[in-house]
Amino acid sequence: MKLETKMIMPDIQTQNDLYLIVDEFYKKLLSDERISYIFTDVVKIKIEEHLPILVTFWSQGILGTGGYTKNLTQIHLDINEKEYLSPELFTIWLSHFNNSVDENFKGQKAEQIKTQALSIATVMQIKISQKKS
């Protein structure tokens, strides 16, 4: 019988930890044909420029570092003008995000970032539906 060694996963502590999460997250998003077109065809993100911005965003919320100055809501409303950001897309986004966290981290900050991601996805969907009506 083979014994599996259980590795204790660390909690999120540094910007490098956040970079690992967003890097893994975007690998998942870009390889998922249900959502990748948003990033490749609609927005045409330059991933090497985008990841540090995301690290700054999450670092501000999770580590309290500050430095993120963009209007996250407006960015997503602008994207929604080009291509409808459906609830299904947010579900996919959230699933990949949570998996990227869970595969690498466990603890208070890991739970906090997943809760914050859910809040962001919820607020974005509310704003988008208000814009439609």
Side-chain angles (χ1 to χ4, degrees):
M1 184 171 137
K2 184 179 169 189
L3 278 176
E4 284 187 38
T5 55
K6 283 207 174 205
M7 193 174 88
I8 297 172
M9 288 211 274
D11 200 0
I12 300 165
Q13 297 174 21
T14 67
Q15 288 192 337
N16 284 341
D17 293 343
L18 294 170
Y19 189 90
L20 174 68
I21 291 169
V22 295
D23 188 46
E24 289 296 314
F25 174 50
Y26 270 81
K27 285 177 185 168
K28 291 178 189 330
L29 288 175
L30 294 172
S31 64
D32 186 334
E33 62 189 30
R34 298 171 301 165
I35 195 169
S36 61
Y37 70 95
I38 295 290
F39 303 96
T40 57
D41 301 341
V42 179
V43 181
K44 297 182 169 101
I45 63 164
K46 293 179 176 67
I47 197 73
E48 62 284 347
E49 293 172 15
H50 193 57
L51 291 184
I53 294 167
L54 290 171
V55 169
T56 300
F57 171 79
W58 288 112
S59 182
Q60 178 168 296
I62 301 304
L63 303 176
T65 55
Y68 185 82
T69 57
K70 297 176 186 286
N71 183 333
L72 184 68
T73 303
Q74 191 58 54
I75 290 168
H76 288 83
L77 289 174
D78 291 348
I79 295 167
N80 186 66
E81 289 294 316
K82 297 176 188 174
E83 181 73 27
Y84 175 55
L85 297 178
S86 68
E88 293 77 18
L89 289 173
F90 281 100
T91 299
I92 295 165
W93 179 90
L94 202 56
S95 174
H96 286 312
F97 189 84
N98 288 342
N99 288 337
S100 298
V101 174
D102 290 340
E103 289 166 5
N104 296 285
F105 299 97
K106 188 175 185 69
Q108 181 197 355
K109 298 275 188 209
E111 292 306 312
Q112 181 185 347
I113 200 170
K114 291 187 296 182
T115 300
Q116 194 169 336
L118 175 60
S119 297
I120 291 166
T122 303
V123 168
M124 292 300 165
Q125 289 177 81
I126 291 167
K127 296 282 187 188
I128 286 167
S129 71
Q130 288 173 342
K131 200 88 163 146
K132 270 176 64 178
S133 50

